[in-house]
Amino acid sequence: MNEHDSEIISGMLAARGYTPASAAEVDVVDIVIINTCSIRENADKRFFGTLGQLKKAKTKNPDLAVCVCGCMMQQEQITGKIRRSYPWVDVIFGTHNIHEFPDMLQELYDNRKRKGNRIDNKLRSSKEFRVDRIYEDRREIVEELPANRLFAHKSFVNIMYGCNNFCTYCIVPYTRGREQSRDPENIIREVRDLVIDGVKEVTLLGQNVNSYKGISPESGQWDFTDLIWALSETPGLERIRFMTSHPKDLSDKLIDAFGRCDKLCNYIHLPVQSGSDTVLKRMNRKYDRKSYLELVRKIRQAAPGIAISTDIIVGFPGETEEEFEETLALAQDVRYDSAFTFLYSPRQGTPAAEYEDQIPEDIKHRRFNRLVDIINEGSKSRNAAFVGRTCRVLVDGPARKQSVSEEGKILLNGRTEEFKLVDFAGSEDMIGRIIHVKINDSNTFSLRGEAVND
Ligand code: SAH
Ligand code: SF4
């Protein structure tokens, strides 16, 4: 979600004639924007560290506009600290008014002009020019914002904003507000335009996409699966993915679509968070271990070979060794294709941060390592099952460590429908296309193969 917000911010600035620069150019650029995440505490620390370093850049380059945005700005203790202690911050905006950013930037320049653009050496006067606007909740959904996409051939598409679930550990409902779904017509139009622009794969975004409730003036209420089926009719669109779905709202209708809708990728990210019923209850997740496992069974039955990934939190307050072992056992049972594993991080303002039985860091770390071992075993064996198969890979670009082979081929990578990362040798013209790749080798995190004729 934050990444896509960054693409939109970048798109709005590109529309005004700005071009992106690298971090190394910080002493000469016009604008620095820090888009923040507040899911876990280490992001907070990194943010203030980076902000501290920007003071030096601002001293060298006083015209620099330092702009901060994202989830952290929706928390008063954070904005209070910025306002008090970081006078070199020029623009502060939140998650609900991203669309106002270009105008806020203009306001900053107008303020500077009016007040003489004089910055004293303690940088105090920066505060006078500052443009600081944050809303507590989203008023309306602003459509038609441009985005500077990271990839030409695939794109994120927001279908809803906010979250109503209030899991007791999570800050998102406080920083992103209540759920609001976009109208289906607007989503369909956006996807159609993206495809005309060369996009082959869309990832539908929302904190809980399967509680999507769109209202169409013509056909009334739409649920998430209705939206998927409608989007699958977009000519030229090859793949549909989504992130993230909540187990409590995963309907049989959606499971059925996995089996029957060709464009819906054979992959689901289904965060479990814990394998223990008592922990799930304290987390306010509204499902239990048994119903989660039943979902996994139904999904695999409807769509054999589907890849399943998850999120798991280790060391939630009060988590006992037995409760943790239930998570280990669940991970072993399900054998996930991959998982994001997190150490529980107390977030100020959430109920769980107030619970008294917080787990000591060393115990959290030890449990975390045990879990990662089991997750990795699962990933390794799930990946090994791909060896010998030929997969359709949407090619993203040169693999990070670019290497050119004797025949002049470059090492490319891309994703299978199951979201498996595949490295193979090919040519530049394959980027952005779906290429058949025969898988020859695998490890815990990726596959390796060779391009074969279609
Ligand atoms: N809406 C998505 C998740 C958004 S946050 C969902 O419900 O699945 C992404 C992940 O961050 C969560 O699934 C959770 O595993 C993790 N997370 C959220 N708050 C956390 C916290 N306080 N400490 C550790 N991990 C957290
Ligand atoms: Fe956070 Fe739970 Fe909402 Fe996901 S569903 S964003 S974890 S409150």
Side-chain angles (χ1 to χ4, degrees):
M1 193 70 80
N2 290 58
E3 254 177 59
H4 187 44
D5 286 349
S6 293
E7 291 182 336
I8 291 171
I9 292 165
S10 176
M12 290 189 303
L13 290 180
R16 307 241 173 158
Y18 290 92
T19 51
S22 76
E25 295 167 279
V26 67
D27 290 343
V28 293
V29 296
D30 296 304
I31 311 170
V32 169
I33 306 159
I34 310 182
N35 187 9
T36 60
C37 167
S38 53
I39 276 283
R40 289 178 305 280
E41 200 182 4
N42 52 1
D44 286 21
K45 288 187 188 141
R46 276 180 57 198
F47 169 65
F48 282 110
T50 309
L51 215 48
Q53 286 163 12
L54 280 173
K55 181 176 182 182
K56 218 164 63 194
K58 185 80 181 231
T59 316
K60 279 197 196 152
N61 175 11
D63 289 338
L64 179 67
V66 176
C67 312
V68 293
C69 61
C71 295
M72 284 172 68
M73 302 312 128
Q74 298 298 139
Q75 295 170 277
E76 268 165 28
Q77 78 271 19
I78 303 275
T79 42
K81 189 167 163 184
I82 298 171
R83 288 175 189 130
R84 277 191 313 274
S85 315
Y86 296 84
W88 56 93
V89 171
D90 298 291
V91 179
I92 307 176
F93 60 107
T95 52
H96 303 303
N97 60 337
I98 285 177
H99 57 285
E100 292 183 354
F101 174 54
D103 291 338
M104 292 173 78
L105 197 58
Q106 190 53 50
E107 251 177 77
L108 170 77
Y109 291 141
D110 292 346
N111 288 351
R112 284 181 175 177
K113 217 182 205 160
R114 218 177 27 248
K115 294 181 183 168
N117 207 11
R118 196 182 45 79
I119 315 257
D120 72 24
N121 56 8
K122 285 190 186 139
L123 302 161
R124 294 235 180 275
S125 45
S126 195
K127 254 187 193 171
E128 289 171 39
F129 308 141
R130 180 182 284 163
V131 184
D132 181 349
R133 208 149 53 233
I134 285 160
Y135 304 125
E136 268 185 25
D137 215 338
R138 187 175 297 277
R139 291 161 188 195
E140 75 216 291
I141 292 180
V142 180
E143 294 290 346
E144 315 257 335
L145 294 176
N148 222 359
R149 296 195 313 272
L150 205 54
F151 293 99
H153 55 278
K154 59 182 191 183
S155 180
F156 293 124
V157 175
N158 270 324
I159 63 163
M160 59 188 299
Y161 300 90
C163 181
N164 292 348
N165 289 319
F166 291 93
C167 302
T168 54
Y169 50 82
C170 184
I171 196 77
V172 171
Y174 309 92
T175 62
R176 293 268 172 185
R178 294 299 72 72
E179 276 177 14
Q180 245 180 318
S181 296
R182 283 177 72 192
D183 291 348
E185 275 81 6
N186 290 330
I187 300 170
I188 291 168
R189 193 175 330 114
E190 180 175 341
V191 170
R192 208 185 46 214
D193 291 347
L194 285 167
V195 171
I196 291 171
D197 205 30
V199 164
K200 296 200 170 72
E201 175 184 299
V202 290
T203 300
L204 309 178
L205 286 184
Q207 294 302 338
N208 181 10
V209 286
N210 43 356
S211 69
Y212 173 83
K213 284 183 200 69
I215 308 285
S216 154
E218 272 145 41
S219 46
Q221 188 143 322
W222 289 40
D223 66 19
F224 181 56
T225 317
D226 298 331
L227 181 67
I228 289 191
W229 280 112
L231 290 175
S232 75
E233 279 165 30
T234 315
L237 180 68
E238 303 260 1
R239 289 177 167 186
I240 302 170
R241 301 186 186 281
F242 58 81
M243 260 207 354
T244 299
S245 55
H246 194 303
K248 80 176 166 63
D249 298 312
L250 189 66
S251 64
D252 287 345
K253 190 171 164 186
L254 180 58
I255 294 176
D256 171 68
F258 271 112
R260 292 193 305 114
C261 179
D262 289 343
K263 292 188 183 177
L264 182 60
C265 286
N266 224 11
Y267 168 67
I268 183 167
H269 183 65
L270 195 62
V272 67
Q273 314 297 359
S274 166
S276 149
D277 284 347
T278 37
V279 173
L280 286 171
K281 200 158 197 129
R282 298 205 296 280
M283 288 178 163
N284 192 30
R285 287 291 289 181
K286 301 195 177 87
Y287 54 84
D288 59 16
R289 177 196 182 92
K290 190 164 161 237
S291 56
Y292 183 89
L293 289 171
E294 177 59 11
L295 284 177
V296 169
R297 192 195 61 75
K298 283 205 265 183
I299 294 167
R300 285 187 167 147
Q301 188 177 42
I306 192 169
I308 305 181
S309 61
T310 199
D311 291 346
I312 299 177
I313 299 177
V314 171
F316 184 78
E319 183 189 66
T320 61
E321 174 62 23
E322 290 71 34
E323 287 170 332
F324 171 66
E325 281 173 11
E326 289 186 78
T327 301
L328 287 184
L330 179 131
Q332 215 143 19
D333 269 12
V334 175
R335 280 204 313 140
Y336 288 105
D337 288 83
S338 63
F340 293 109
T341 44
F342 303 103
L343 294 165
Y344 168 72
S345 169
R347 308 312 293 130
Q348 195 178 329
T350 62
E354 307 298 319
Y355 296 171
E356 281 179 1
D357 39 6
Q358 300 287 327
I359 305 292
E361 288 303 309
D362 58 329
I363 297 185
K364 275 191 213 169
H365 278 93
R366 259 180 278 145
R367 287 182 185 167
F368 183 87
N369 293 339
R370 285 162 69 197
L371 177 64
V372 168
D373 285 346
I374 286 184
I375 293 291
N376 287 350
E377 266 171 40
S379 307
K380 202 170 167 186
S381 76
R382 303 275 310 168
N383 285 353
F386 277 74
V387 174
R389 279 174 53 183
T390 298
C391 298
R392 297 173 78 238
V393 174
L394 178 57
V395 184
D396 287 333
R400 236 166 282 156
K401 281 180 254 128
Q402 189 173 337
S403 64
V404 180
S405 73
E406 282 154 28
E407 306 92 61
K409 286 187 176 170
I410 53 174
L411 190 60
L412 298 170
N413 67 20
R415 299 270 175 183
T416 69
E417 244 198 80
E418 297 82 3
F419 206 59
K420 301 281 177 193
L421 186 65
V422 182
D423 287 342
F424 70 100
S427 50
E428 207 155 317
D429 65 314
M430 290 178 171
I431 296 170
R433 285 169 45 205
I434 292 182
I435 301 291
H436 284 86
V437 178
K438 177 150 187 283
I439 308 301
N440 300 325
D441 199 6
S442 72
N443 59 36
T444 310
F445 303 107
S446 64
L447 309 176
R448 238 188 134 83
E450 59 186 305
V452 290
N453 288 337
D454 295 1

